[in-house]
Amino acid sequence: QVHLVESGGGLVQAGSSLSLSCVASGRTLGDYIIGWFRQAAGKERVFVAAHSRKLGAGYVESMRGRFTITRDYITHTVTLQMRDLQPDDTAVYYCAAGPETFFYTEPREYKYWGQGTQVTVSW
């Protein structure tokens, strides 16, 4: 069993930066892909970024350059650094883990999910 715990969410003003962390435990995840998704109120959960040994870092194109994902294989931590946040970035951000897959942008490909952390961006 894998346990994922997100942290780092909060309330920030537009233009601010925020760093989210996901710490994984329970099994060796070196061969797993770990991704970040977000879900705004009333909307579907969508892909943000992912990291694996084969992929490296992958992003949804609209967030490339503003969001940066990094992964520490020793501490089992995946970090999502977000800058120039806007109200449209308001959502619950989830960390997820699953076996390597070509379809890493699809939530259904991920086997384990964290509880999520709320990010709220105000004007």
Side-chain angles (χ1 to χ4, degrees), residues 45-59:
R45 193 169 298 188
V46 295
F47 173 76
V48 174
H51 197 290
S52 75
R53 291 190 191 277
K54 289 184 180 179
L55 169 69
Y59 302 91

Side-chain angles (χ1 to χ4, degrees), residues 1-67:
Q1 188 67 20
V2 174
H3 192 50
L4 303 171
V5 178
E6 305 99 331
S7 63
L11 171 63
V12 297
Q13 290 189 322
S16 299
S17 299
L18 207 57
S19 183
L20 306 181
S21 291
C22 171
V23 180
S25 63
R27 66 152 291 200
T28 301
L29 290 175
D31 56 342
Y32 268 37
I33 190 165
I34 296 184
W36 283 97
F37 291 77
R38 70 184 188 185
Q39 186 167 18
K43 296 187 177 181
E44 292 184 352
R45 193 169 298 188
V46 295
F47 173 76
V48 174
H51 197 290
S52 75
R53 291 190 191 277
K54 289 184 180 179
L55 169 69
Y59 302 91
V60 62
E61 199 57 36
S62 61
M63 298 177 199
R64 185 183 296 274
R66 223 168 35 95
F67 289 12

Side-chain angles (χ1 to χ4, degrees), residues 76-122:
H76 311 297
T77 302
V78 177
T79 301
L80 182 69
Q81 294 175 301
M82 307 181 292
R83 65 178 182 84
D84 192 25
L85 286 163
Q86 300 299 315
D88 284 349
D89 295 313
T90 294
V92 178
Y93 283 71
Y94 295 93
C95 174
E100 283 272 14
T101 172
F102 178 78
F103 303 102
Y104 60 86
T105 64
E106 298 293 331
R108 66 174 182 268
E109 296 292 319
Y110 291 78
K111 191 174 181 181
Y112 304 102
W113 290 84
Q115 292 291 96
T117 184
Q118 176 71 46
V119 173
T120 303
V121 185
S122 65

